[in-house]
Amino acid sequence: VYLYFCGGTSMLNSATGCAAIQKDSTSGELGVFVEEGSEAKAYAGKGGAAIGGGTGAAGQNIIINGGVWKGTLRADAAFTGGGGAGIGGGANAAGSNISINGGTVTAIGTGGGANAAGSYLSVNDGIVSASSTGRSAAAGIGGGAGAPGSYITVSGGTLTATGGTTTTDVYVAGA
């Protein structure tokens, strides 16, 4: 499933236990593309990721922007304090195979939700800010509270990551 946000600002809010843009299935992929000059804001319900899995559901195979799609995306799971990732798994669920390919992306909790690992996360282009708040305990980038993050690759763009917990096997291309 591919979602395209064009023109102006779009805001999505979800119910308790759900993601604003939900993908619980392990098959297929979810693409979220925001047109340059446009903005999309996704706010998770308590326990869900902003983009990815609902409570207890993994968020995987997610693509954010790319090519000419370089708009602004805010994925906020800390808004309700429920433990989901900004982009990735809901509370107590992993996030994996997540690729950010351009634009300006702010993700509050990226990768694993609280108590869950985050793996195979890549930033290939764009300006990415990934952070964790004390309320959500999900990852800034990588694993959530009490779980490792692994195979995090930055091959282009700018990444600022704050918060989170132990992260291992971090690879930075060209370093």
Side-chain angles (χ1 to χ4, degrees):
V1 172
Y2 297 97
L3 302 173
Y4 297 91
F5 295 91
C6 305
T9 299
S10 299
M11 186 164 42
L12 300 107
N13 295 300
S14 65
T16 298
C18 298
I21 300 174
Q22 191 153 332
K23 182 195 178 294
D24 289 341
S25 172
T26 58
S27 64
E29 64 185 17
L30 169 65
V32 178
F33 301 94
V34 184
E35 181 180 47
E36 191 165 3
S38 298
E39 181 177 21
K41 299 177 180 181
Y43 294 98
K46 187 171 185 177
I51 299 172
T55 301
Q60 54 192 341
N61 305 324
I62 299 170
I63 301 167
I64 306 295
N65 287 334
V68 299
W69 298 89
K70 297 181 186 262
T72 300
L73 174 67
R74 178 179 178 86
D76 189 342
F79 184 71
T80 57
I87 303 170
N92 301 309
S96 63
N97 298 322
I98 298 167
S99 178
I100 299 173
N101 301 306
T104 301
V105 179
T106 300
I108 302 177
T110 298
N115 304 309
S119 60
Y120 298 99
L121 311 170
S122 64
V123 175
N124 302 309
D125 192 11
I127 300 168
V128 180
S129 173
S131 63
S132 175
T133 68
R135 294 185 320 184
S136 74
I141 190 166
S150 60
Y151 303 103
I152 300 166
T153 305
V154 179
S155 61
T158 303
L159 169 66
T160 303
T162 57
T165 61
T166 305
T167 302
T168 59
D169 299 324
V170 175
Y171 299 101
V172 178

